[in-house]
Amino acid sequence: MNSTADLLIEKTAAYVKQQLVDAEGGHDWWHIQRVWNNCKKLLETEKADPLVVQLAALLHDIADPKFHDGNEELGPQIAKDFLEGQGISHEIVEHVINIIRHMSFKNSLEGPSFTSKEMKLVQDADKLDAIGAIGIARAFNYGGFKNHSLYDPTIPPNLHMTKEEYKKSTAPTINHFYEKLLLLKDMMHSESAKQMAEARHAYMESYLDQFYKEWAGEQ
Ligand code: ADP
Ligand code: NI
């Protein structure tokens, strides 16, 4: 990539960082930085436009609908307003906005409506941050934020949720492992992400084993 692209990425990172100063812990600047880092790592082995990938990674959670009364247009709009002032081609702006609008797990529950190899890479990078030790921390942080219980053996996971049910769910956080986190490994698109996901997935499985043992007072 040329230095103009590098400068734009740095400028975007600075903008996102200051936009997210008050964000909830699972969706804050550090989440964005981890996803951006995951993207850079995946770009070492996967072929995709590095500028589009990195801009989309940086802007993908600029206004998460969960924290903005369900408004799904706000994030794409803020990203568009920012990018249009940066002197890049209309094509790149449209591509980044399409990725931001269509990449989320809940939107994928409705079937794909836009896709590109750049979007798949950002999705992989975002999903990697939802599993493993970090994924566990983010899930319990989100559950705490929503005042969900940790676990309730009388409430089984709902394995066939629609997008609306997923958004409204008040289920215990342990259910989220079965409803989403343990499914992510098989949803990775790139070979590199699949490999990284293996160890993180195994870690969640052993975490759950230990959790149930302690729940039963066995260990
Ligand atoms: P997406 O933006 O891909 O739709 P989410 O915003 O639902 O994904 O998830 C973002 C983070 O919040 C993830 O780490 C996810 O595991 C966590 N999270 C989302 N919903 C829940 C939930 N009901 N319980 C626990 N964690 C959740
Ligand atoms: Ni994200």
Side-chain angles (χ1 to χ4, degrees):
M1 264 197 326
N2 58 35
S3 58
T4 320
D6 282 333
L7 274 177
L8 174 61
I9 288 167
E10 287 309 322
K11 189 173 173 189
T12 308
Y15 169 75
V16 172
K17 195 171 181 176
Q18 55 104 57
Q19 283 285 310
L20 292 178
V21 277
D22 296 324
E24 166 268 342
H27 285 86
D28 57 5
W29 163 251
W30 299 110
H31 164 62
I32 302 303
Q33 194 178 71
R34 291 189 303 267
V35 174
W36 183 24
N37 281 336
N38 288 344
C39 281
K40 287 193 255 191
K41 192 160 172 64
L42 296 175
L43 281 166
E44 289 171 12
T45 45
E46 307 292 330
K47 276 204 169 53
D49 179 339
L51 178 62
V52 170
V53 168
Q54 292 182 77
L55 290 177
L58 287 167
L59 290 162
H60 84 277
D61 276 332
I62 195 72
D64 191 300
K66 279 196 290 308
F67 308 111
H68 293 88
D69 297 327
N71 184 345
E72 296 188 10
E73 272 312 301
L74 192 61
Q77 190 57 53
I78 293 176
K80 192 169 181 166
D81 290 346
F82 171 78
L83 290 172
E84 278 179 343
Q86 305 306 323
I88 35 177
S89 76
H90 180 68
E91 211 185 332
I92 291 184
V93 176
E94 282 304 305
H95 192 170
V96 172
I97 301 308
N98 265 323
I99 295 177
I100 297 171
R101 184 170 281 134
H102 296 287
M103 68 173 264
S104 79
F105 175 80
K106 63 183 177 312
N107 285 344
S108 71
L109 294 173
E110 288 186 326
S113 45
F114 170 87
T115 190
S116 70
K117 57 185 187 308
E118 285 74 19
M119 174 160 119
K120 288 179 177 168
L121 223 140
V122 186
Q123 281 180 312
D124 283 359
D126 195 30
K127 287 191 169 76
L128 283 170
D129 203 54
I131 60 178
I134 300 256
I136 295 170
R138 291 180 74 210
F140 284 104
N141 188 65
Y142 180 87
F145 186 78
K146 291 279 188 179
N147 201 23
H148 296 170
S149 58
L150 302 178
Y151 175 50
D152 182 339
T154 67
I155 306 175
N158 177 356
L159 298 180
H160 302 284
M161 275 195 283
T162 62
K163 177 178 165 182
E164 284 314 307
E165 286 170 336
Y166 178 80
K167 283 200 292 190
K168 280 200 229 117
S169 173
T170 56
T173 301
I174 286 288
N175 292 22
H176 190 65
F177 284 76
Y178 301 94
E179 291 164 352
K180 176 178 173 184
L181 306 186
L182 292 169
L183 311 178
L184 295 178
K185 170 175 75 77
D186 294 327
M187 292 170 71
M188 298 295 171
H189 302 287
S190 64
E191 269 316 306
S192 321
K194 275 181 200 162
Q195 279 175 22
M196 285 171 76
E198 287 295 334
R200 298 184 188 206
H201 183 89
Y203 187 84
M204 292 193 294
E205 289 195 317
S206 62
Y207 173 81
L208 288 168
D209 281 349
Q210 178 72 15
F211 186 97
Y212 297 127
K213 280 185 188 143
E214 291 179 16
W215 189 271
E218 284 171 10
Q219 228 172 38

